[in-house]
Amino acid sequence: MECQMVGGLIFPETEDTGSPTLRTKGEELCNMRRSENYSPVPWEKNLEMDNTKAWNDNSIPMKSLNAEDRAPLCPQLGPYFADGQRRVDYVLAYHIQKPGNVCRKSPKFGDDNFIRRLRRSLSLRSSRAPLQPKEDPEIPAQEQQTDYHENDKRFRREEFEENLIEIGLELEKTDECKIPGIGFLKIHAPWNVLCREAEFMKLKMATNKVFEVKQGSNIVEKIRLFIHKVTSPLHPKVDTNKPKSVKSLLHPFSREKAHLFDLSDRDNFFDSKTRSSIVYELLKRTRCTRALYSLGFTSLLANGVYTAGYPPHDGEIGVNAKPSDRKTLYEEWASYSVFYKYQPIGLIRKYFGEKVGLYFAWLGVYTQMLIPAAIVGVIVFLYGCATIDDNIPSMEVCDPRNNITMCPLCDSACNYWKLTTACGTARASHLFDNAATVFFAIFMALWAVLFMEHWKRRQMRLNYVWDLTGYGEEEEDHNRAEYELRVMQKAKRLENSMAKDEKVKLTCTDRLPAYLTTIAMMAFMITVTFVIVFGIVLYRISINAALQINNYPGARYNVRAIVKTTAAIISLIVIIVLDEIYGAIARWLTILEVPKTAKSFEERLIFKTFVLKFANAFTPIVYLAFFRGRLVGRPGNYLYVVGSYRMEECAEAGCLMELCIQLCITMLGKQFIQNNLFEIGVPKLKKLLRKKKSEMDPKQQEELTKTLQQHEKDHFLLPFVGLSPEYMEMIIQFGMVTLFVASFPLAPLFALLNNVIEIRLDAKKFVMELRRPIAVRAKDIGIWYNLLRGLSKVAVIVNVSFQVSQQMSLQDMVQAKNVLHGISSSFPEAFVISFTSDFIPRLVYQYMYSPDGTLHGFVNHSLSYFNVSDFAPGTDPAKPLILGYKVEICRYKDYREPPWSSTPYDFSKEFWAVLAVRLAFVVVFQNVVMLMSDFISWLIPDIPKDISLKIHKEKVLMVELFMKEEYGRRLGVADSHNRNICPSPSSSNQSPQQPRSRAAPNTNLC
């Protein structure tokens, strides 16, 4: 079978008429079953060929491409072939090594030109032999190279395009048009191919049966409808083709049951999203078999045979552009002026597919749920601001009459200091550490559960509206090209030692080196993260000591602020840099494992990337929350690392303020720099560089852009790389909002503001900056839901730890671990690591040790005494008289016996009382929150009741429809049988009567 290109249009040649025509269905299916270049679908093996005439009636003869019949006066710049009738469903771009800027366009469809090209092609046909793999001596040598030469790539393209024609696709080729060095292959799927593949892919299409969708009458449904009416100004102005009260009954498409479907408008029966998905599936199933190894579509892209492949956008987005879905999305979604409106999720799904639609639906639900969390967080913060002057502990810290002398914060270089110098830190800490913090921690733990339940219900509602309720039960994913290549290599090695019928596949033994490499590299990368965090700790220790001995008074006064801020900024820069490195390493490790399917590849990549980026982003925060100030020791017996570096202490008011600064800088920095600035700046920078490299001035570029067709304009857009980066940044943000929200109640507010911008930023990127992605069907968000659920569970544990006092040292942890091990081995070790809140110590003091039942005297009660004569040699301050007098006793934050006690510096009875209350609080808080979370999950059903009833109603209607059809068929057979037994006298002059209850089959369907 030969393939002839006539003026850029490629058609299969026929032997009988001498004029090229498209294949009939019978020829197509017979050749497909005999060809090794196409992976046949299962039902094709038993398909009968009695519909050949119907397919012949729908074939498009070559003469229909003449200018008088089809071509418009001015060729359309939209996604159409040169005839202006057949739409472009998919585009393949490839590199051309021919110089010159002259475009070799598609033919001018005149009769003389057409006949001249046809005669020339027919004359060339007799002088050349068909391409045979064995007769080409250069192919074996060429196939050993991975870097194909241009001629090799051209041979691969010709073979691949011939195979595409054999399976029924129509092609139009344009070599080196207005873009120098780039050629385009436009692909169109005719009606017969669309019907065949829709049946194979089990696509649900609208039937002729419609039913009324009645709104529920319960209270919840009425409230939902009321809210919908109130918020109607917030809904985007997107036209709907059908009223919401009527819904078509959908059924998997079948050519045998064509009479059930509404085929009155064939041009719009399959929308552009579905058409491009069908073509993409055909491309993935088509293979080049003349090479040493069978090459699929992804392999051709990887080897540079084709440089890009994408479905074209359906139109422009300018002011004067014609109406299209893309323009509507730009005006009602990708504009900052509509930031307050809901997203047009239905139109997003229609244009980009279910997978992209689910991401933006999830992002919208998450952003909506942040509104109550942000409101409560602001209330907690304002409560702290309102009660700051009434906070007794901070007032005692700021009271100069207390005259409390504190022990030095470092050896030798640091001096004694007055407690009043920590007044600012104590007052600022109260803004985030107050009585409302406990309530907010419980609220956020329950908020995470409510968010997950709300999303499950929203997801189920979308599944019903998008007709995905039965999707995924029998879906099979295609094998990746890399996996098949490895399988072929393995089969070649074992071809002499294995049976002919034995199926070759990659086993765990084959992947063992890759698994070991993954484990080693993941452990190494996490270790690198720990080492970097430890390096930042050493930076804080050394800078603190250097500033203490500085002669500039302002530097010594602002030591803590300088150290905290600079360390947080350095940590942010390191996190951003390592994020990019870890993403590349995770992809490399996943490629080494050679996953079988694209879904498996994506899940493994997501898991590795999440582990590395989560460790990278949260390790500095975890250190400040759970370790800083605990691994210190006491005066006279401090803990040292790397020689003489003494571990840093928390301020008198705890490490909460430092954690808040770290979390604020990390969260805002990642959102502003990594998420928003990179997404806006990088594409614009690439555009600017591309314009500078161009030899044309801006006016010439603008004129050229006006003459480019849509698929040529799309070639300049960035390729779609998937949704993993978008999900990942939101998952990390969700972790910061839920895990450490008690230390930073304003985190939900900043997340809300970021997400409002993020939605419109992502919308602009999808509509304006990216090529149109292939529409992928999906009924859920996949592995991301499991990660979210895991974070929501961990949030309860972390928030428990938030409420436990800051004062637990390393010895406290050991004691707490022993006690908890005796209580229950099911509690995570996170329970035994306390956090920076003073809630528990204040509670214990107020109800057990306070003489008047208030917090007066709490600061003095929480400080222990130390005799300066007990300093280790060489660690006492270099300037002991800096305060103007000789210090004999200094104070430090801990619960220990005084030096005049019989057991000096041992834990006091107050320590054990506080520890017991801490453990009791951990047990009560954890179990209460978990019980409430489980109760909420049980109380809220995953499937809304109205959706469950509607799904059941659709099933009943579908059964009734098929029962009616079967009854009509049987009735028609019975009537025909009766007429054959008892023919009427006039029956010979009358045509047989058609069945009454079944419509006549549409013979022109495909």
Side-chain angles (χ1 to χ4, degrees):
M1 175 55 61
E2 286 290 333
C3 170
Q4 187 67 37
M5 183 179 72
V6 182
L9 292 169
I10 302 178
F11 298 94
E13 296 185 63
T14 58
E15 301 291 343
D16 50 355
T17 62
S19 64
T21 61
L22 295 182
R23 293 176 178 271
T24 64
K25 176 193 176 199
E27 293 172 346
E28 172 194 333
L29 293 180
C30 291
N31 282 283
M32 283 167 51
R33 286 195 294 272
R34 292 194 299 266
S35 174
E36 296 178 355
N37 303 326
Y38 173 74
S39 302
V41 294
W43 53 266
E44 288 178 354
K45 299 178 181 179
N46 301 320
L47 185 65
E48 298 182 0
M49 308 305 297
D50 53 355
N51 290 328
T52 302
K53 182 179 182 300
W55 286 69
N56 287 332
D57 294 338
N58 286 276
S59 63
I60 305 175
M62 189 87 156
K63 65 181 181 180
S64 66
L65 299 178
N66 291 337
E68 300 86 17
D69 300 332
R70 291 294 182 90
L73 296 177
C74 297
Q76 298 188 30
L77 296 179
Y80 290 92
F81 275 19
D83 59 4
Q85 299 295 325
R86 292 172 294 171
R87 68 186 309 144
V88 179
D89 298 320
Y90 203 84
V91 177
L92 295 178
Y94 53 90
H95 178 69
I96 301 176
Q97 202 178 9
K98 292 186 294 185
N101 298 327
V102 180
C103 171
R104 194 173 78 187
K105 299 180 181 178
S106 297
K108 294 181 173 65
F109 296 99
D111 291 337
D112 296 338
N113 187 33
F114 172 76
I115 295 173
R116 183 167 56 252
R117 290 177 181 273
L118 180 58
R119 288 175 178 173
R120 184 171 57 198
S121 64
L122 293 176
S123 63
L124 289 175
R125 179 171 172 241
S126 60
S127 62
R128 68 182 184 189
L131 293 176
Q132 299 292 338
K134 296 182 180 179
E135 296 178 2
D136 190 350
E138 296 181 356
I139 289 181
Q142 294 168 354
E143 288 163 350
Q144 300 297 327
Q145 304 176 5
T146 57
D147 185 16
Y148 295 107
H149 299 294
E150 291 302 320
N151 289 336
D152 301 325
K153 295 178 182 179
R154 180 167 55 83
F155 293 152
R156 302 292 179 270
R157 286 197 295 269
E158 290 177 355
E159 180 191 358
F160 188 71
E161 290 159 11
E162 290 176 5
N163 297 337
L164 293 181
I165 296 172
E166 288 187 7
I167 61 177
L169 296 177
E170 297 177 9
L171 313 178
E172 183 179 66
K173 203 169 186 178
T174 305
D175 288 345
E176 198 170 349
C177 200
K178 299 178 181 64
I179 306 176
I182 300 296
F184 294 97
L185 178 68
K186 293 180 282 187
I187 304 175
H188 168 77
W191 175 255
N192 55 350
V193 174
L194 293 174
C195 293
R196 182 190 71 209
E197 295 301 316
E199 185 173 354
F200 166 62
M201 296 170 64
K202 299 182 178 64
L203 297 181
K204 287 186 175 182
M205 308 302 297
T207 63
N208 294 315
K209 179 71 174 179
V210 296
F211 63 96
E212 182 180 1
V213 179
K214 296 182 179 180
Q215 301 295 337
S217 57
N218 55 14
I219 298 178
V220 176
E221 190 66 21
K222 290 181 179 179
I223 294 175
R224 191 176 66 86
L225 292 176
F226 174 76
I227 294 176
H228 186 273
K229 291 180 180 179
V230 172
T231 58
S232 57
L234 303 180
H235 291 276
K237 299 177 181 178
V238 178
D239 295 334
T240 54
N241 298 327
K242 296 182 180 180
K244 296 181 180 179
S245 59
V246 177
K247 188 176 186 295
S248 296
L249 193 64
L250 275 78
H251 185 264
F253 185 79
S254 173
R255 290 177 291 180
E256 295 181 356
K257 298 180 175 60
H259 56 280
L260 297 178
F261 301 93
D262 183 10
L263 303 178
S264 58
D265 186 5
R266 291 189 178 185
D267 293 337
N268 297 318
F269 185 73
F270 296 105
D271 57 15
S272 60
K273 167 181 67 69
T274 306
R275 296 174 68 98
S276 61
S277 300
I278 290 175
V279 173
Y280 184 67
E281 288 296 321
L282 287 171
L283 291 176
K284 290 198 297 184
R285 293 208 302 266
T286 306
R287 313 193 66 80
C288 293
T289 58
R290 295 176 187 169
L292 181 61
Y293 300 110
S294 177
L295 299 178
F297 175 57
T298 54
S299 298
L300 296 178
L301 286 175
N303 288 305
V305 178
Y306 291 102
T307 57
Y310 51 89
H313 283 289
D314 68 350
E316 291 295 327
I317 56 178
V319 178
N320 299 323
K322 296 181 180 179
S324 63
D325 289 341
R326 187 188 185 195
K327 183 180 179 181
T328 304
L329 286 172
Y330 174 74
E331 294 173 348
E332 297 294 332
W333 182 47
S335 176
Y336 290 112
S337 61
V338 294
F339 73 93
Y340 60 91
K341 289 188 176 183
Y342 291 104
Q343 301 180 83
I345 296 299
L347 187 58
I348 297 171
R349 172 253 180 180
K350 176 185 175 184
Y351 193 75
F352 294 109
E354 285 79 5
K355 193 169 186 178
V356 176
L358 279 174
Y359 163 71
F360 283 103
W362 173 84
L363 183 57
V365 171
Y366 172 47
T367 304
Q368 291 176 15
M369 289 294 293
L370 282 173
I371 295 176
I375 293 175
V376 176
V378 171
I379 293 175
V380 171
F381 178 76
L382 293 178
Y383 173 80
C385 295
T387 59
I388 190 172
D389 292 330
D390 299 329
N391 183 37
I392 297 176
S394 61
M395 292 172 59
E396 290 183 347
V397 171
C398 299
D399 190 355
R401 294 175 298 178
N402 289 328
N403 194 25
I404 298 177
T405 302
M406 303 296 294
C407 297
L409 297 176
C410 63
D411 293 342
S412 300
C414 298
N415 299 309
Y416 302 110
W417 56 285
K418 290 293 185 179
L419 182 61
T420 54
T421 58
C423 176
T425 304
R427 290 175 62 85
S429 298
H430 178 72
L431 299 177
F432 308 102
D433 182 14
N434 50 65
T437 305
V438 179
F439 162 77
F440 190 56
I442 298 175
F443 172 82
M444 289 305 298
L446 299 179
W447 173 88
V449 178
L450 287 172
F451 165 63
M452 300 303 297
E453 295 299 322
H454 179 40
W455 167 244
K456 283 194 295 184
R457 291 171 61 85
R458 172 65 171 162
Q459 182 175 263
M460 195 62 208
R461 191 175 294 276
L462 291 176
N463 284 341
Y464 169 74
V465 175
W466 296 350
D467 301 291
L468 296 171
T469 51
Y471 172 74
E473 297 175 359
E474 299 179 357
E475 295 295 325
E476 293 184 2
D477 202 356
H478 294 281
N479 292 344
R480 297 175 61 248
E482 293 81 359
Y483 177 84
E484 293 184 350
L485 179 61
R486 287 285 299 273
V487 169
M488 291 178 185
Q489 292 173 346
K490 181 179 179 181
K492 185 179 179 181
R493 293 194 308 266
L494 303 177
E495 58 183 356
N496 297 327
S497 60
M498 59 180 295
K500 293 183 179 180
D501 298 334
E502 185 178 354
K503 187 176 180 180
V504 181
K505 63 180 181 179
L506 296 183
T507 62
C508 291
T509 305
D510 299 323
R511 294 190 176 102
L512 184 59
Y515 289 155
L516 295 177
T517 304
T518 298
I519 295 174
M521 285 298 298
M522 294 278 287
F524 176 73
M525 289 296 102
I526 294 176
T527 303
V528 168
T529 302
F530 291 161
V531 170
I532 292 176
V533 172
F534 183 70
I536 295 176
V537 171
L538 296 183
Y539 162 81
R540 279 201 293 260
I541 296 173
S542 57
I543 292 297
N544 181 52
L547 292 177
Q548 290 287 351
I549 61 177
N550 194 291
N551 294 325
Y552 180 62
R556 292 197 303 270
Y557 183 76
N558 296 316
V559 167
R560 290 186 179 274
I562 295 173
V563 173
K564 295 173 189 176
T565 306
T566 56
I569 294 175
I570 293 173
S571 178
L572 172 64
I573 296 173
V574 171
I575 288 173
I576 293 176
V577 173
L578 288 183
D579 267 355
E580 302 300 323
I581 297 175
Y582 287 168
I585 291 176
R587 177 169 291 274
W588 173 67
L589 293 175
T590 307
I591 293 174
L592 285 182
E593 296 177 2
V594 196
K596 184 176 181 179
T597 63
K599 182 179 180 181
S600 176
F601 180 90
E602 183 182 24
E603 290 181 349
R604 295 186 185 200
L605 176 61
I606 290 172
F607 179 75
K608 295 181 183 65
T609 307
F610 173 76
V611 171
L612 292 176
K613 290 191 175 183
F614 186 87
N616 181 40
F618 286 95
T619 300
I621 300 175
V622 170
Y623 165 75
L624 290 175
F626 298 140
F627 292 97
R628 182 176 178 179
R630 282 67 170 173
L631 309 176
V632 177
R634 60 170 180 83
N637 188 23
Y638 284 115
L639 177 65
Y640 294 89
V641 294
V642 194
S644 59
Y645 285 94
R646 196 181 99 185
M647 291 300 293
E648 54 187 345
E649 299 181 46
C650 292
E652 195 282 330
C655 291
L656 182 62
M657 198 61 201
E658 296 185 28
L659 176 63
C660 179
I661 293 175
Q662 176 72 45
L663 187 62
C664 181
I665 292 178
T666 302
M667 184 176 180
L668 298 183
K670 279 179 63 67
Q671 291 178 352
F672 177 74
I673 298 176
Q674 192 173 24
N675 300 345
N676 297 335
L677 187 62
F678 282 5
E679 292 184 6
I680 298 175
V682 172
K684 292 190 178 298
L685 182 61
K686 290 182 178 179
K687 279 186 178 180
L688 181 63
L689 294 177
R690 189 163 56 238
K691 289 182 179 179
K692 287 187 176 181
K693 291 181 180 179
S694 177
E695 298 178 356
M696 296 182 293
D697 55 36
K699 291 185 178 180
Q700 292 176 335
Q701 292 181 2
E702 185 177 356
E703 292 297 327
L704 175 62
T705 304
K706 292 180 180 179
T707 60
L708 292 178
Q709 295 186 8
Q710 186 60 52
H711 67 275
E712 295 170 330
K713 296 177 182 179
D714 293 347
H715 186 265
F716 291 107
L717 301 179
L718 298 175
F720 176 70
V721 296
L723 293 169
S724 295
E726 315 298 335
Y727 272 114
M728 188 62 67
E729 63 184 66
M730 289 295 105
I731 295 296
I732 297 298
Q733 182 199 91
F734 180 80
M736 291 187 177
V737 167
T738 56
L739 296 181
F740 300 96
V741 70
S743 66
F744 189 38
L746 296 180
L749 175 64
F750 289 117
L752 174 63
L753 298 177
N754 173 81
N755 288 4
V756 171
I757 300 175
E758 181 74 18
I759 289 176
R760 306 305 163 181
L761 187 64
D762 285 346
K764 277 185 172 292
K765 182 171 64 174
F766 271 82
V767 175
M768 300 175 59
E769 305 291 342
L770 296 180
R771 296 170 186 164
R772 188 177 182 180
I774 291 293
V776 179
R777 289 187 296 173
K779 63 184 302 182
D780 52 43
I781 60 176
I783 192 176
W784 299 109
Y785 179 82
N786 298 328
L787 296 178
L788 286 169
R789 192 168 184 83
L791 286 177
S792 63
K793 295 294 184 183
V794 174
V796 178
I797 300 173
V798 174
N799 282 311
V800 168
S801 303
F802 273 20
Q803 308 313 316
V804 186
S805 173
Q806 63 167 354
Q807 302 174 51
M808 291 185 71
S809 61
L810 180 62
Q811 293 89 341
D812 305 3
M813 299 177 192
V814 176
Q815 297 291 343
K817 182 176 180 180
N818 294 333
V819 175
L820 273 179
H821 182 74
I823 299 175
S824 174
S825 60
S826 63
F827 288 155
E829 288 190 0
F831 281 108
V832 304
I833 304 175
S834 59
F835 185 58
T836 59
S837 175
D838 271 346
F839 173 75
I840 297 299
R842 291 173 183 174
L843 196 67
V844 172
Y845 173 79
Q846 183 175 2
Y847 290 99
M848 292 184 63
Y849 300 103
S850 176
D852 55 358
T854 65
L855 290 177
H856 287 289
F858 169 75
V859 173
N860 184 65
H861 179 267
S862 62
L863 297 177
S864 298
Y865 295 87
F866 178 76
N867 193 332
V868 298
S869 61
D870 295 331
F871 273 124
T875 62
D876 54 326
K879 300 178 180 179
L881 301 178
I882 192 171
L883 296 180
Y885 57 90
K886 183 179 180 180
V887 177
E888 296 181 354
I889 298 292
C890 64
R891 309 290 296 273
Y892 63 98
K893 192 174 181 64
D894 205 346
Y895 288 104
R896 293 182 179 269
E897 296 290 344
W900 53 83
S901 172
S902 58
T903 55
Y905 307 125
D906 284 350
F907 289 118
S908 62
K909 61 179 182 179
E910 290 83 1
F911 165 80
W912 298 108
V914 171
L915 176 61
V917 177
R918 286 172 180 162
L919 300 181
F921 180 83
V922 164
V923 174
V924 173
F925 186 93
Q926 188 266 346
N927 284 278
V928 168
V929 174
M930 285 292 186
L931 182 62
M932 294 174 66
S933 302
D934 293 340
F935 177 74
I936 292 175
S937 300
W938 171 81
L939 187 64
I940 302 176
D942 294 344
I943 304 177
K945 186 177 181 180
D946 61 318
I947 296 299
S948 179
L949 295 175
K950 290 175 182 178
I951 293 175
H952 178 71
K953 180 179 179 180
E954 283 197 20
K955 291 181 179 179
V956 172
L957 290 175
M958 186 63 66
V959 172
E960 291 179 356
L961 180 63
F962 281 99
M963 291 296 292
K964 183 178 180 180
E965 180 195 8
E966 182 66 18
Y967 176 75
R969 187 185 67 81
R970 292 182 178 181
L971 185 60
V973 172
D975 290 346
S976 177
H977 180 69
N978 293 334
R979 286 196 299 269
N980 292 334
I981 295 177
C982 302
S984 61
S986 60
S987 62
S988 60
N989 298 327
Q990 296 179 357
S991 59
Q993 184 180 0
Q994 294 292 331
R996 291 176 294 179
S997 301
R998 182 179 181 184
N1002 189 353
T1003 58
N1004 293 326
L1005 169 63
C1006 298

